[in-house]
């Protein structure tokens, strides 16, 4: 270790010797006398002593800096400048200087160049050792020459066991055509993908734009596959909220990349302050939205994060996703059912949460159409239990759905009632009580993606209700980002509607998933089910789209409803009667009983549509 620490001083001492001797020879036209050489050698000795002394005070030769690091380069430059200054001043003050007054400055400049050169060569050697073995690593073309690509290339070039080596970059920005990132050149725009693959013999394109639109992902993927290469992506910005992109983050393309990768400009550090140092409770913590809420809230360092769910397995899963050493006997995990009013009051009284995200709900539309009483027990009465127990909290956020806008299903009716109950509580509590409304979440448990994945794995058919049915989609991370932000800017009693982008055709989702599977799987159209709409709306009749604070968050007024005015559900009644009671509570007419809407131009039972497998 001591020898390793003395090596930089030895290098710098040799550099001073070479630099000062070169300056003296140049001063005397390369024919210095013995006296001049003796003075130069004495000056070299003095320079080395000064370099060691000043460098020691700056810990330059005491192991503080890694050899050839940028921090060491700065330390060497300032130390060498200080030595040059001292030698120059000494020469000016002495009546008979050892060397001419100008020699220390010239010698110091030459010495500094030699010191930096030695370190540069060492850095090149170190960098070369870290590069991936080209006999093992596959050459890859990166689409995008921005910050994500720069970080990714640096990661690739510093991993000797890496799977990929960057062979070139593709970027549509004409200002980047001559750009090199860590020595990797930009080879052209998207039209040059096929040529770049051929020229570099790469067989992989990595989509390295972390904030891209889904349409761009689809186009680059299509161009890559047409050129006969594989296609992979880096995660979106919302997936990388806690770290920079790395080689290990590169993954296969997913349907969420092809359909829902629009990005949201949110400053979570600025709006998450209401969570820091607070006791935060998340109900339904084991669900798709609830678990992602827990993970993101955890980053804001709450005083305590309370995770409540009735499913013990889901609770353990979300707890492990936050802390791999977590145990179920941790007091932050609460096993309870929101249907139990007494249990809710006990939890709020003993744990005293300050911020509540209420995500517990039944959400499967078709199932709730058959069992509307269960929707009433969990979605309506369960929410009422939590609201009554939470009257003293600082902030309450009720997670709603776009199906609450002009509802036509049991799910929509029940969630609309929860919005109105939340608005009623807002008028009687000191804290802020509001609802957040958004559409379908890509990849959530029990979503259409789960169903399609299972059907494709079984060989099909993939069942779609109608060729023209559309839904709003966003990723779980994006939805939760906006939920956290909406909760910071929302006003008492209102519902906040999140911008969902353009609606997506479910048939297109099915086609993309079948294409990704590379299998021949037919698509069958079955017709709309009772309670389903052909197209969803984000705003109900009479609601105005106002966005006073954030361009992606709308504020709508919600009429409150007194819990005492809820229409009771007749015990043992058939589903149509129960649905009518739910609709009456929403002050809406009950939907007319009808069969599933047939598919135009085809029987209502099935309409097979084979899709190519690539």
């Amino acid at each position: 270790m001591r020898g390793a620490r003395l090596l930089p001083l030895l290098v710098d001492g040799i550099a001073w010797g070479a630099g000062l001797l070169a300056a003296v020879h140049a001063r005397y036209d390369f024919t210095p006398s013995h006296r001049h050489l003796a003075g130069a050698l004495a000056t070299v000795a003095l320079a080395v002593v000064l370099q060691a002394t000043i460098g020691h005070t700056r810990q330059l030769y005491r192991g503080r800096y890694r050899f050839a690091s940028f921090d060491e380069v700065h330390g060497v430059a300032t130390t060498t400048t200080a030595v040059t200054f001292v030698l120059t001043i000494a020469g000016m003050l002495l009546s008979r200087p050892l060397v001419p007054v100008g020699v220390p400055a010239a010698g110091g400049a030459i010495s500094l160049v030699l010191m930096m050169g030695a370190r540069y060569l060492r850095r090149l050697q170190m960098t070369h050792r870290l590069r991936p073995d080209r006999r093992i690593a596959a050459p890859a073309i990166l689409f995008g020459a921005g910050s994500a690509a720069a970080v990714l290339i640096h990661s690739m070039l510093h991993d000797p066991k890496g799977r990929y080596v960057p062979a070139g970059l593709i970027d549509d920005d004409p200002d980047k055509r001559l750009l090199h990132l860590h020595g990797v050149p930009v080879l052209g725009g998207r039209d040059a993908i096929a040529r770049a693959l051929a020229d570099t013999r790469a067989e992989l394109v990595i989509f390295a734009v972390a904030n891209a639109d889904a349409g761009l992902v689809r186009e680059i993927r299509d161009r890559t596959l047409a050129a006969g290469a594989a296609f992979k992506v880096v995660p979106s910005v919302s997936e990388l909220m806690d770290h920079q992109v790395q080689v290990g983050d590169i993954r296969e393309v997913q349907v969420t990349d092809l359909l829902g990768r629009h990005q949201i400009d949110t400053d979570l550090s600025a709006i998450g302050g209401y969570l820091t140092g607070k006791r935060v409770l998340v109900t339904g913590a084991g669900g798709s939205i609830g678990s992602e809420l827990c993970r993101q809230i955890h980053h804001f360092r709450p005083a305590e994060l309370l995770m409540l769910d009735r499913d013990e397995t889901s609770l353990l899963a979300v707890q492990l996703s936050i802390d791999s050493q977590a145990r179920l006997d941790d007091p932050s995990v609460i096993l309870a059912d929101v249907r139990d009013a007494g249990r809710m009051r006990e939890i709020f009284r003993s744990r005293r949460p300050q911020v509540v995200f209420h995500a517990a709900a039944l959400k499967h539309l078709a199932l709730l159409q058959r069992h509307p009483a269960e929707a009433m027990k969990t979605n309506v009465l369960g929410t009422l239990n939590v609201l009554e127990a939470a009257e003293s909290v600082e902030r309450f956020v009720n997670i709603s759905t776009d199906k609450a806008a002009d509802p036509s299903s049991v799910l929509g009716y029940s969630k609309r009632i929860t919005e109105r109950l939340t608005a009623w509580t807002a008028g009687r509590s000191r804290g802020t009580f509001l609802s957040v409304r958004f559409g379908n979440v890509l990849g959530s448990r029990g979503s259409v993606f789960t169903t399609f994945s299972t059907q494709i794995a079984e060989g099909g058919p993939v069942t779609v209700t109608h060729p023209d049915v559309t839904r709003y989609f966003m990723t779980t991370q994006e939805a939760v980002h906006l939920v956290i932000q909406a909760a910071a800017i929302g006003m008492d009693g209102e519902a906040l509607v999140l911008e969902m982008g353009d609606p997506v055709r479910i048939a297109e989702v099915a086609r993309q998933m079948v294409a990704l599977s590379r299998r021949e799987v037919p698509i069958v159209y079955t017709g709309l089910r009772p309670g389903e709409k052909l197209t969803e709306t984000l705003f109900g009749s009479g609601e105005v789209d106002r966005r006073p604070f954030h361009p992606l968050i709308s504020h709508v007024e919600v009429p409150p409803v007194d819990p005492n005015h809820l229409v009771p559900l007749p015990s043992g009644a058939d589903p149509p009667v129960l649905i009518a009671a739910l609709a009456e509570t929403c002050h809406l007419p009950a939907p007319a009983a009808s069969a599933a809407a047939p598919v135009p131009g085809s029987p209502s039972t099935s309409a097979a549509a084979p899709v190519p497998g690539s």
Side-chain angles (χ1 to χ4, degrees):
M1 289 296 293
R2 179 176 293 274
R5 292 183 180 183
L6 291 178
L7 177 62
L9 179 58
L10 177 62
V11 170
D12 296 344
I14 294 173
W16 268 115
L20 287 171
L21 288 174
V24 168
H25 277 77
R27 173 67 175 75
Y28 294 107
D29 298 327
F30 299 97
T31 57
S33 66
H34 291 293
R35 182 175 63 84
H36 296 146
L37 288 176
L41 291 174
T43 305
V44 169
L46 179 59
V48 172
V49 171
L50 288 172
Q51 183 81 13
T53 303
I54 297 174
H56 184 78
T57 60
R58 294 176 54 81
Q59 298 184 340
L60 186 60
Y61 306 113
R62 296 165 61 187
R64 178 179 181 180
Y65 305 108
R66 184 181 178 186
F67 188 67
S69 67
F70 290 112
D71 289 333
E72 190 201 32
V73 166
H74 179 265
V76 168
T78 55
T79 300
T80 304
T81 302
V83 173
T84 302
F85 178 77
V86 172
L87 291 176
T88 302
I89 295 299
M92 295 173 62
L93 295 178
L94 292 174
S95 58
R96 296 182 64 185
L98 297 173
V99 292
V101 175
V103 167
I110 297 172
S111 301
L112 184 58
V113 170
L114 294 174
M115 295 176 196
M116 297 305 181
R119 286 166 170 80
Y120 177 70
L121 292 175
R122 174 58 176 163
R123 192 171 186 87
L124 284 180
Q125 182 187 28
M126 294 166 58
T127 301
H128 182 73
R129 288 181 178 177
L130 291 174
R131 288 182 180 271
D133 188 344
R134 291 183 177 271
R135 295 172 299 178
I136 301 175
I141 298 294
L142 276 66
F143 181 86
S147 57
V151 173
L152 186 58
I153 290 174
H154 182 271
S155 178
M156 286 180 173
L157 295 178
H158 288 76
D159 183 4
K161 297 182 180 179
R163 297 174 293 165
Y164 313 111
V165 58
L169 292 159
I170 297 293
D171 198 288
D172 290 329
D173 187 350
D175 294 335
K176 295 180 178 179
R177 291 300 158 84
L178 300 178
L179 180 68
H180 284 67
L181 291 181
H182 302 290
V184 181
V186 174
L187 303 176
R190 68 183 72 178
D191 294 334
I193 289 178
R195 185 180 71 250
L197 288 168
D199 292 344
T200 61
R201 298 184 179 180
E203 297 180 351
L204 171 67
V205 171
I206 299 173
F207 191 90
V209 183
N211 61 343
D213 181 81
L216 179 60
V217 181
R218 290 196 298 270
E219 180 180 351
I220 301 306
R221 174 178 174 270
D222 291 343
R223 287 175 178 266
T224 300
L225 297 181
F231 181 79
K232 294 189 177 184
V233 299
V234 299
S236 64
V237 169
S238 56
E239 295 177 75
L240 295 170
M241 64 176 298
D242 58 349
H243 71 279
Q244 288 185 315
V245 64
Q246 300 173 351
V247 177
D249 294 317
I250 298 172
R251 58 170 171 76
E252 298 289 342
V253 67
Q254 300 171 357
V255 70
T256 53
D257 302 308
L258 301 176
L259 297 173
R261 199 181 165 112
H262 60 282
Q263 294 302 312
I264 297 169
D265 183 16
T266 55
D267 185 0
L268 290 180
S269 61
I271 57 88
Y274 70 96
L275 300 172
T276 303
K278 301 287 187 175
R279 294 183 299 277
V280 183
L281 170 67
V282 178
T283 71
S288 303
I289 293 297
S291 59
E292 183 62 25
L293 271 168
C294 292
R295 284 187 286 271
Q296 293 194 23
I297 291 170
H298 173 71
H299 290 290
F300 296 109
R301 300 183 303 278
E304 190 175 15
L305 176 57
L306 307 174
M307 297 174 283
L308 184 150
D309 203 289
R310 65 176 182 177
D311 184 341
E312 58 183 348
T313 304
S314 296
L315 273 178
L316 178 59
V318 66
Q319 189 186 24
L320 288 173
S321 71
I322 294 173
D323 180 6
S324 61
Q325 304 301 317
R327 300 186 305 174
L328 282 176
D329 58 0
D330 190 316
S332 65
V333 175
I334 302 174
L335 185 63
D337 193 335
V338 295
R339 294 184 178 191
D340 189 338
R343 178 79 168 120
M344 291 300 104
R345 289 192 297 270
E346 172 196 343
I347 291 169
F348 276 82
R349 183 171 57 251
S350 60
R351 308 305 293 272
R352 296 180 295 112
Q354 296 164 287
V355 180
V356 176
F357 289 89
H358 177 52
L362 298 177
K363 63 180 181 180
H364 295 288
L365 186 148
L367 194 59
L368 295 182
Q369 285 296 121
R370 296 178 53 221
H371 305 284
E374 298 304 307
M376 186 70 178
K377 292 174 187 176
T378 296
N379 294 0
V380 177
L381 299 181
T383 298
L384 182 59
N385 292 338
V386 179
L387 284 168
E388 290 177 342
E391 288 187 345
S392 61
V393 303
E394 297 177 7
R395 190 168 295 268
F396 184 99
V397 183
N398 171 48
I399 305 299
S400 188
T401 171
D402 58 351
K403 293 173 177 58
D406 289 338
S408 62
S409 63
V410 169
L411 174 59
Y413 289 133
S414 64
K415 298 303 284 185
R416 179 57 175 171
I417 294 172
T418 67
E419 291 183 356
R420 299 188 62 189
L421 289 173
T422 302
W424 182 86
T425 307
R428 286 154 180 79
S429 303
R430 291 175 297 178
T432 300
F433 285 69
L434 54 94
S435 297
V436 178
R437 183 191 298 172
F438 54 89
N440 298 274
V441 175
L442 289 167
S444 63
R445 289 193 312 178
S447 71
V448 66
F449 297 94
T450 305
T451 302
F452 287 174
S453 295
T454 302
Q455 292 174 340
I456 291 171
E458 295 294 328
V462 174
T463 56
V464 179
T465 57
H466 194 284
D468 297 323
V469 68
T470 62
R471 293 292 183 264
Y472 290 98
F473 286 102
M474 65 196 317
T475 67
T476 310
Q477 293 86 0
E478 291 165 347
V480 171
H481 275 201
L482 277 183
V483 167
I484 293 176
Q485 178 143 350
I489 65 177
M491 306 298 289
D492 234 7
E494 64 185 4
L496 303 180
V497 184
L498 307 187
E499 171 61 51
M500 298 292 296
D502 297 326
V504 177
R505 288 165 58 96
I506 300 300
E508 177 64 18
V509 175
R511 280 192 287 270
Q512 290 287 351
M513 293 188 68
V514 169
L516 285 175
S517 72
R518 298 181 180 273
R519 302 177 65 181
E520 293 285 347
V521 179
I523 295 177
V524 173
Y525 298 106
T526 60
L528 291 175
R529 294 167 295 189
E532 286 187 323
K533 300 178 182 178
L534 192 64
T535 59
E536 295 287 2
T537 58
L538 296 175
F539 302 94
S541 301
E543 293 182 341
V544 179
D545 182 359
R546 296 184 306 105
R547 308 187 184 196
F549 303 116
H550 194 285
L552 300 180
I553 302 176
S554 303
H555 299 240
V556 298
E557 296 182 1
V558 177
V561 62
D562 189 326
N564 295 318
H565 295 162
L566 294 178
V567 176
L569 298 187
S571 178
D574 292 335
V577 177
L578 300 177
I579 294 173
L582 286 169
E584 185 180 348
T585 297
C586 295
H587 298 292
L588 293 170
S594 62
V599 178
S602 63
S604 61
T605 54
S606 67
V611 176
S614 61

